[in-house]
Amino acid sequence: MSLIQPGRKWSPKSVVFGIVSDGYRPDAVSELAGLLAPFTVHVHHDFERFPHPSPGAPNIRLVRNPVRTGWGTWGFARAVATLTRSALDEGDFDYFQLLSPTCLPLRPVTQFADFIAADRCDAHLTLVDLFSNDDALVEYAFRTFAPGGSARKRLLRHARHLALGPDRTIEHRGGLAISHATPAHRRRPAARLGRGITGAAARGRLGRHPFDERFRPFMGSTWFGARRHVIADLLDAVEDPARTAYFRRLDQSDELLFASLIGNAGLRVGPLNHVVSRFDPDGHPLVIGEADTPWLLASDRWFARKFADDPADPVRRMQIQRVRAAESSEDSKLRDAVLQR
């Protein structure tokens, strides 16, 4: 049966996916790529750090010249840029979606392609403007206004602790974790001091940074999706050393870099295509377990993170079977529609 059905607006070249494979099991990456067929999946695999066998599937295209990765380093942002450059150079596409090796689709990926074909947004990423959200500013100031390993970063981390207190709650928004202090703690002198230090950093009083009313700091999940022209513009910015010199000095700069470039570009931006699992107190997403099934089923998003990268994990197996069953049902309905024409 043809991959392009009557009435569909997409082709197998309309959407491509990108995965940075930096230490996860290659068989899990290969399994994910199989779920994304018939679409091409570009994979950046760091052979220097992880020399084990690379992922393999008919629709995988390995990046030819991968760069050194590393969690929280500029290397990860470079890997994303190298991955997107490879996708641009390899062939035509209308839309690029970045995934992690621990993502899985929540429904058949052909339905995602239908959505992208009909949607009017230039990119999909839930943006949080740090200048307009005091709690997000406190949460992320140490990653936004201070170089990695600096005394300023240590000061802003301490200011975060002062401002939020021990009984904070965590809000999960678009793949980010934002902490909120209790009303009682907000009134304490220590909390006001912490927020005062954070505000001084945001105004450039503790050190220069590139953010102002014309170029605002945005935070957003790394796992963005964007149309081809947006990807090309992003790469022009990321590959310009003058524009990224500040970001290269930061720790975990990817969530700030890509979100700020997209958020300041005057684009039509829709919500993140992902739903992301709950975060632990340190801000790391927890592995999706059986108890998380209800919110997976209730989500209107297209992908979910973070699943175990073990292909034998029962929750992972359950989600893959759910998608495969939906694909079989969709193929059956399309076949019946074609036969009735």
Side-chain angles (χ1 to χ4, degrees):
M1 190 175 183
S2 172
L3 291 174
I4 303 186
Q5 301 299 336
R8 286 205 183 277
K9 299 178 182 179
W10 56 265
S11 76
K13 293 184 177 181
S14 62
V15 175
V16 299
F17 295 91
I19 300 174
V20 177
S21 175
D22 56 347
Y24 294 94
R25 293 174 54 150
D27 48 350
V29 177
S30 301
E31 186 174 56
L32 171 57
L35 286 172
L36 301 175
F39 303 101
T40 299
V41 181
H42 296 271
V43 176
H44 179 287
H45 183 77
D46 186 348
F47 287 96
E48 185 176 350
R49 293 182 67 215
F50 308 104
H52 50 58
S54 61
N59 58 329
I60 281 180
R61 304 291 182 271
L62 285 173
V63 173
R64 291 192 181 91
N65 298 301
V67 299
R68 183 72 180 265
T69 59
W71 186 86
T73 70
W74 177 250
F76 188 86
R78 280 189 65 210
V80 173
T82 302
L83 177 65
T84 51
R85 171 59 68 191
S86 178
L88 278 174
D89 293 344
E90 282 287 325
D92 294 332
F93 63 86
D94 300 321
Y95 191 90
F96 175 91
Q97 177 63 54
L98 185 65
L99 302 175
S100 81
T102 58
C103 295
L104 286 177
L106 291 179
R107 50 188 60 86
V109 73
T110 52
Q111 294 180 14
F112 174 65
D114 286 338
F115 161 72
I116 292 300
D119 189 70
R120 299 180 62 85
C121 290
D122 300 303
H124 295 87
L125 174 62
T126 301
L127 297 170
V128 177
D129 183 346
L130 300 189
F131 281 170
S132 299
N133 187 315
D134 288 343
D135 284 352
L137 180 64
V138 168
E139 181 74 66
Y140 293 110
F142 73 96
R143 288 174 46 185
T144 304
F145 306 116
S150 66
R152 194 191 325 166
K153 180 174 180 178
R154 291 192 294 272
L155 174 62
L156 288 173
R157 285 186 70 99
H158 185 60
R160 174 180 177 272
H161 177 71
L162 290 175
L164 296 175
D167 299 322
R168 69 194 70 165
T169 59
I170 298 179
E171 173 192 1
H172 307 289
R173 184 192 302 183
L176 297 176
I178 302 174
S179 300
H180 301 288
T182 64
H185 183 79
R186 285 176 181 270
R187 295 190 291 268
R188 293 176 180 172
R192 293 198 295 270
L193 175 61
R195 290 181 183 273
I197 294 171
T198 300
R203 293 189 295 274
R205 302 287 177 82
L206 304 185
R208 297 179 62 183
H209 59 70
F211 303 108
D212 55 25
E213 289 301 316
R214 294 170 298 176
F215 185 70
R216 301 175 73 87
F218 287 91
M219 272 287 174
S221 169
T222 304
W223 318 112
F224 63 87
R227 307 218 176 253
R228 186 184 183 93
H229 71 276
V230 177
I231 293 298
D233 290 344
L234 275 177
L235 281 174
D236 286 344
V238 175
E239 293 174 350
D240 180 354
R243 295 187 67 179
T244 58
Y246 178 81
F247 294 93
R248 292 168 184 263
R249 300 167 59 204
L250 305 179
D251 290 335
Q252 298 170 262
S253 61
D254 46 284
E255 291 180 330
L256 176 69
L257 171 66
F258 298 113
S260 294
L261 291 174
I262 291 173
N264 286 285
L267 303 170
R268 293 170 297 184
V269 181
L272 186 70
N273 290 321
H274 279 68
V275 60
V276 180
S277 60
R278 294 168 295 120
F279 292 83
D280 66 20
D282 294 323
H284 301 121
L286 299 170
V287 173
I288 294 172
E290 188 173 351
D292 299 310
T293 299
W295 66 257
L296 282 181
L297 294 175
S299 174
D300 63 351
R301 301 293 83 203
W302 298 98
F303 305 94
R305 181 178 187 270
K306 172 180 180 181
F307 287 92
D309 72 334
D310 180 3
D313 177 75
V315 178
R316 180 186 179 91
R317 295 258 53 83
M318 184 185 306
Q319 179 56 33
I320 290 174
Q321 291 166 7
R322 187 179 295 124
V323 172
R324 289 301 192 198
E327 288 175 341
S328 298
S329 176
E330 185 178 74
D331 289 345
S332 177
K333 290 177 181 177
L334 286 170
R335 188 180 301 107
D336 291 343
V338 171
L339 293 174
Q340 291 172 9
R341 288 176 181 267

